[in-house]
Amino acid sequence: DSGVTQTPKHLITATGQRVTLRCSPRSGDLSVYWYQQSLDQGLQFLIQYYNGEERAKGNILERFSAQQFPDLHSELNLSSLELGDSALYFCASSVGTGTLSGANVLTFGAGSRLTVL
Amino acid sequence: EDQVTQSPEALRLQEGESSSLNCSYTVSGLRGLFWYRQDPGKGPEFLFTLYSAGEEKEKERLKATLTKKESFLHITAPKPEDSATYLCAVQASDYKLSFGAGTTVTVRA
């Protein structure tokens, strides 16, 4: 157990629907990252939050949004789902924003597997 | 744009047969290079961080090295439990972490 908790583990839904993935970071970590991993692509960075504020944005689609709440848990919202959105979605957390040695190390959760039919 | 290329894509080894994985990168201002291990259906697990050329780190049968353009992960006398996908990632000056596609290592007993 890495200390990063993601729910749900598996999710099957239909095209056009909306889902929410939830992540609780490791105790003491202030940064949360979201990554997408599909078979034909590696881990793709989506977005990072630090202590409730958005810090960095990657290749996140406009149909996707995220936020980090005061208790530091984060949610990734995926809407108007398409077949191509089927993937593993990973949440990771770290102590800081990456500016300090050691604060760069990301701890990953077990992932949420999304299947869009 | 930051790029991370890992080779080979797949590596099949006999138990005890040492080998190396390569990670070549192009990044604007390298802040750190990371190696992770990922088992099927699980999240990546941190192995090493390297910060400057010439740096080396070891953990059990794994040793990571870094030059200005690439990193190597050496697996010495591997065992079946070393079978996994090994991911390389670089952190650029904007602190974003970019991952390579990984090398899937299979070690046969």
Side-chain angles (χ1 to χ4, degrees):
Chain A
D1 182 2
S2 67
V4 178
T5 304
Q6 290 189 246
T7 57
K9 285 187 172 22
H10 301 278
L11 191 55
I12 302 174
T13 188
T15 54
Q17 294 299 304
R18 171 191 166 95
V19 298
T20 297
L21 309 180
R22 194 178 191 278
C23 169
S24 293
R26 201 177 53 156
S27 177
D29 286 356
L30 298 178
S31 272
V32 170
Y33 307 74
W34 286 98
Y35 282 84
Q36 179 191 58
Q37 187 177 44
S38 52
L39 281 176
D40 57 346
Q41 292 188 335
L43 276 165
Q44 299 294 314
F45 170 67
L46 296 178
I47 198 163
Q48 178 204 355
Y49 283 85
Y50 174 75
N51 205 20
E53 300 289 327
E54 182 183 307
R55 273 303 174 102
K57 222 168 186 176
N59 301 321
I60 187 166
L61 300 172
E62 285 191 13
R63 300 183 285 109
F64 296 180
S65 65
Q67 60 183 126
Q68 186 180 28
F69 295 87
D71 66 352
L72 301 178
H73 91 272
S74 178
E75 293 182 356
L76 178 66
N77 300 297
L78 315 174
S79 61
S80 302
L81 286 168
E82 302 175 359
L83 296 177
D85 296 328
S86 295
L88 261 173
Y89 290 85
F90 286 106
C91 170
S93 69
S94 69
V95 171
T97 61
T99 57
L100 298 174
S101 172
N104 304 344
V105 176
L106 270 60
T107 301
F108 283 81
S112 292
R113 181 174 294 281
L114 173 66
T115 302
V116 182
L117 300 175
Chain B
E1 187 177 317
D2 303 329
Q3 284 198 332
V4 182
T5 303
Q6 292 188 245
S7 62
E9 288 185 14
L11 191 59
R12 292 176 64 85
L13 301 172
Q14 199 66 36
E15 185 172 4
E17 179 188 0
S18 301
S19 189
S20 293
L21 285 56
N22 177 265
C23 171
S24 62
Y25 61 89
T26 306
V27 64
S28 53
L30 180 71
R31 291 196 176 273
L33 185 140
F34 300 77
W35 283 98
Y36 281 82
R37 169 193 169 124
Q38 185 174 23
D39 293 306
K42 295 189 176 181
E45 179 185 341
F46 172 73
L47 292 173
F48 304 108
T49 309
L50 301 166
Y51 292 103
S52 57
E55 191 175 356
E56 299 182 352
K57 289 207 176 158
E58 281 188 75
K59 180 180 179 180
E60 296 180 359
R61 294 175 293 282
L62 301 177
K63 179 180 176 180
T65 61
L66 180 65
T67 71
K68 286 188 177 180
K69 293 187 177 182
E70 57 191 351
S71 176
F72 293 93
L73 183 66
H74 308 277
I75 309 179
T76 302
K79 297 183 177 182
E81 53 262 41
D82 294 322
S83 297
T85 297
Y86 292 86
L87 299 168
C88 171
V90 295
Q91 185 176 48
S93 56
D94 60 1
Y95 301 104
K96 288 182 186 175
L97 198 62
S98 300
F99 281 83
T103 294
T104 299
V105 175
T106 304
V107 182
R108 297 163 293 175

